[in-house]
C-alpha cells in the first residue's frame, strides 16, 4: 500500500519545498492543503485539498487517511497544538516546521500521550530550527564535556520564504525572552547585543543579534551539561539589521504588538526584499560553535552550512524526517525537538543524499 503524506499549508513556500523534497526522495502520495481552491500540476503523486484548519471535522478526516502529517501552516506564534492532538488520537506520525517557543511548549505537553499512542512527533524540523539543531548535536558529540553553544543564522533578503518570514521576524520582536546563560535563565531583549560573526563565503563577516528561537530552551534540556546557549540571527544586506533593530528598540511597542502593525511592517519589508533579492539572493547560512572540554583541555568545534535557497533548505530538513518515518528508520514515540529525535548517523545520511555540505573542524 502506498504511503500517504498530508502537508498542511503545502501551497506556501516552505510547504511547497517539503513537497518537492518528498517527491524526489520517497514514493509517497502527497496531499497538500490550502484555504482556497487551486489547480495542481499534472502529477499523480501530488494532489490538492482545500482545507482550513478551523474545519476540524474535515481536518480530522484528512489526518485519519494518511501515514504522516506535516504542519507547515505558519506563523506558529498563535497556533494551538490541535493538529498534533488529532494525529495522536488517530495514531498518525507528525512533523512540523514550527519556529516559536510558545508553540513548541504547547506541543511538548503532548509527549506522554504520543508515547502511549505509539506516535512519533518531531517539531522544529526546518533549517533553523531543524538542520541547525542536528548540527549542534553532531558538534556536542565531539566533546567529553560540552559547556557552551553559540548558534548564528543569516538569511539573504526574504530567503525565498515569502511574507511569512517577515511576519515571523516582527512577531519575534514583541517580547523579551528567557535564555540559558551561565547556568541560569536570564532575560534577553530581542535584536540586542549585535555580534559580528564569520560565516562561509559568500557571506563572510556579518552581524547577528539575539533572537527568540525554540532551540534557546530545547537545547539546554537536550544537553543538560551545557551552561550557555546563544541563538542569534541576522539579515543580508546589513541595513535590514539596522531597520529591524529600530523596529525592536525605537518604534512604540504598540506598533509591533498590534497585528495590523505587524502586517504593515511585513508587507513593507516584503516589498523591499522583492527588490534586493535580485542582488543578494535568497540563501541561508548556519554556524554552530560549541565550546567544552576534550581530553582535559578547553576546545572549540565549529560547523557551518550555506544553501542558496532558505525555503529549499527547510524542505530538506523536514523532508528527510518524513522520509525516515515512512521508511521506519526513525521510530521514537513521543513529542521531540529534532535534536532529541534524529540520531547523527541518520542526519549525516540525510544531508549527504540531498547534496547539502556541512563544513566542520576544531578551531
Amino acid at each position: 500500500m502506498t504511503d500517504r503524506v498530508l502537508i498542511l499549508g503545502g501551497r506556501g513556500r516552505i510547504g511547497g519545498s517539503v513537497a518537492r523534497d518528498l517527491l524526489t526522495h520517497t514514493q509517497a502520495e502527497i496531499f497538500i492543503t490550502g484555504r482556497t481552491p487551486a489547480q495542481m500540476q499534472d502529477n499523480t503523486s501530488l494532489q490538492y485539498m482545500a482545507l482550513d484548519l478551523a474545519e476540524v471535522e474535515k481536518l480530522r478526516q484528512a489526518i485519519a487517511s494518511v501515514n504522516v502529517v506535516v504542519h507547515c501552516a505558519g506563523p506558529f506564534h498563535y497556533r494551538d497544538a490541535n493538529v498534533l492532538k488529532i494525529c495522536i488520537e488517530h495514531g498518525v506520525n507528525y512533523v512540523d516546521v514550527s519556529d516559536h517557543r510558545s508553540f513548541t511548549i504547547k506541543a511538548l505537553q503532548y509527549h506522554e500521550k504520543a508515547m502511549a499512542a505509539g506516535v512519533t512527533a518531531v517539531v522544529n524540523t526546518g533549517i533553523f530550527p531543524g538542520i541547525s539543531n542536528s548540527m549542534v548535536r553532531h558538534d556536542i558529540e565531539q566533546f567529553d564535556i560540552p559547556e557552551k553553544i553559540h548558534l548564528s543564522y543569516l538569511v539573504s533578503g526574504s530567503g525565498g520564504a515569502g511574507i511569512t518570514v517577515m511576519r515571523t521576524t516582527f512577531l519575534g520582536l514583541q517580547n523579551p525572552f528567557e535564555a540559558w546563560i551561565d547556568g541560569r535563565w536570564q532575560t534577553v531583549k530581542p535584536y540586542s547585543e549585535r555580534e559580528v560573526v564569520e560565516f562561509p563565503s559568500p557571506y563572510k563577516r556579518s552581524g547577528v543579534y539575539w533572537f527568540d528561537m525554540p532551540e534557546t530552551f530545547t537545547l539546554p534540556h537536550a544537553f543538560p551539561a551545557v551552561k550557555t546557549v546563544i541563538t542569534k540571527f541576522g539579515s543580508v544586506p546589513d541595513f535590514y539589521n539596522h531597520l529591524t533593530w529600530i523596529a525592536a528598540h525605537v518604534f512604540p511597542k504598540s506598533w509591533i504588538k498590534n497585528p495590523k502593525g505587524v502586517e504593515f511592517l511585513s508587507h513593507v519589508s516584503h516589498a523591499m526584499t522583492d527588490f534586493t533579492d535580485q542582488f543578494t539572493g535568497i540563501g541561508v547560512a548556519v554556524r554552530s560553535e560549541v565550546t567544552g572540554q576534550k581530553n582535559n583541555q578547553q576546545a572549540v568545534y565549529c560547523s557551518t552550512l550555506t544553501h542558496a535557497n532558505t525555503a529549499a533548505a527547510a524542505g530538506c530538513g523536514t523532508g528527510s524526517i518524513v522520509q525516515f518515518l515512512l521508511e521506519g528508520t526513525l521510530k521514537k514515540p513521543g513529542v521531540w525537538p529534532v535534536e532529541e529525535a534524529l540520531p547523527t548517523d541518520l542526519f549525516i545520511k540525510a544531508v549527504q543524499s540531498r547534496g547539502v555540505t556541512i563544513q566542520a573542524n576544531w578551531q
Side-chain angles (χ1 to χ4, degrees):
M1 185 176 175
T2 304
D3 290 319
R4 294 155 68 93
V5 178
L6 177 68
I7 304 179
L8 303 174
R11 286 175 61 197
R13 303 284 179 86
I14 302 295
S17 294
V18 174
R20 285 188 288 275
D21 185 90
L22 293 176
L23 287 172
T24 301
H25 296 280
T26 77
Q27 300 298 313
E29 191 176 0
I30 299 164
F31 297 83
I32 71 171
T33 77
R35 285 177 291 184
T36 55
Q39 293 295 320
M40 295 306 301
Q41 60 189 17
D42 185 20
N43 187 321
T44 56
S45 294
L46 189 63
Q47 299 185 44
Y48 178 75
M49 181 187 304
L51 176 66
D52 190 303
L53 294 187
E55 300 174 284
V56 177
E57 272 313 306
K58 192 173 179 181
L59 175 65
R60 190 180 297 277
Q61 291 171 14
I63 289 173
S65 68
V66 300
N67 303 93
V68 181
V69 170
V70 188
H71 194 346
C72 299
F76 284 87
H77 296 64
Y78 304 123
R79 288 281 182 216
D80 59 28
N82 194 46
V83 173
L84 171 59
K85 177 175 176 284
I86 295 172
C87 284
I88 293 169
E89 290 170 358
H90 289 278
V92 174
N93 290 331
Y94 168 96
V95 177
D96 71 36
V97 297
S98 59
D99 55 3
H100 194 260
R101 100 166 48 201
S102 64
F103 180 87
T104 303
I105 289 169
K106 294 172 190 172
L108 292 174
Q109 290 172 352
Y110 285 90
H111 178 70
E112 298 296 332
K113 289 183 179 178
M115 283 186 68
V119 168
T120 300
V122 189
V123 299
N124 313 149
T125 68
I127 174 64
F128 66 91
I131 290 176
S132 59
N133 304 48
S134 293
M135 290 168 63
V136 169
R137 175 172 175 152
H138 168 268
D139 298 350
I140 288 279
E141 290 170 352
Q142 311 307 309
F143 287 86
D144 301 322
I145 305 174
E147 297 171 343
K148 179 182 178 181
I149 297 166
H150 191 308
L151 264 172
S152 301
Y153 315 118
L154 199 65
V155 171
S156 294
S158 70
I163 198 166
T164 299
V165 74
M166 308 301 166
R167 293 189 182 109
T168 298
T169 299
F170 288 113
L171 288 168
L173 304 180
Q174 290 181 335
N175 299 299
F177 59 94
E178 296 295 301
W180 186 245
I181 304 171
D182 297 329
R184 63 188 181 93
W185 292 103
Q186 300 186 39
T187 302
V188 173
K189 292 181 179 179
Y191 243 74
S192 64
E193 299 183 34
R194 175 183 170 94
E195 199 174 340
V196 177
V197 172
E198 187 71 39
F199 289 95
S201 181
Y203 302 103
K204 305 293 185 173
R205 290 173 62 78
S206 298
V208 292
Y209 304 73
W210 271 109
F211 203 77
D212 187 11
M213 304 290 293
E215 54 269 46
T216 310
F217 80 95
T218 65
L219 289 172
H221 181 270
F223 309 112
V226 170
K227 300 302 181 188
T228 297
V229 176
I230 296 170
T231 55
K232 292 195 174 183
F233 167 80
S235 300
V236 174
D238 193 40
F239 72 80
Y240 286 141
N241 287 321
H242 300 294
L243 292 176
T244 307
W245 184 93
I246 290 170
H249 301 282
V250 178
F251 285 2
K253 284 296 178 188
S254 58
W255 286 26
I256 57 172
K257 290 199 173 185
N258 184 315
K260 290 182 179 178
V262 169
E263 281 301 295
F264 173 76
L265 292 169
S266 299
H267 281 277
V268 170
S269 301
H270 190 238
M272 293 169 67
T273 59
D274 272 349
F275 176 73
T276 59
D277 283 356
Q278 303 171 65
F279 309 100
T280 65
I282 52 176
V284 62
V286 178
R287 186 179 191 274
S288 162
E289 182 182 284
V290 177
T291 305
Q293 299 294 318
K294 179 72 171 179
N295 299 326
N296 295 317
Q297 290 187 331
Q298 187 86 358
V300 178
Y301 193 85
C302 182
S303 62
T304 56
L305 170 154
T306 60
H307 196 285
N309 185 312
T310 306
C316 291
T318 303
S320 61
I321 301 289
V322 177
Q323 177 192 351
F324 294 142
L325 287 172
L326 294 174
E327 293 173 349
T329 50
L330 176 59
K331 186 175 176 63
K332 189 173 182 180
V335 183
W336 309 95
V338 65
E339 67 270 19
E340 293 196 66
L342 186 65
T344 296
D345 60 336
L346 284 184
F347 168 64
I348 292 172
K349 178 182 177 182
V351 294
Q352 288 179 345
S353 68
R354 286 159 174 78
V356 176
T357 301
I358 296 175
Q359 303 288 346
N361 53 68
W362 293 99
Q363 297 293 289

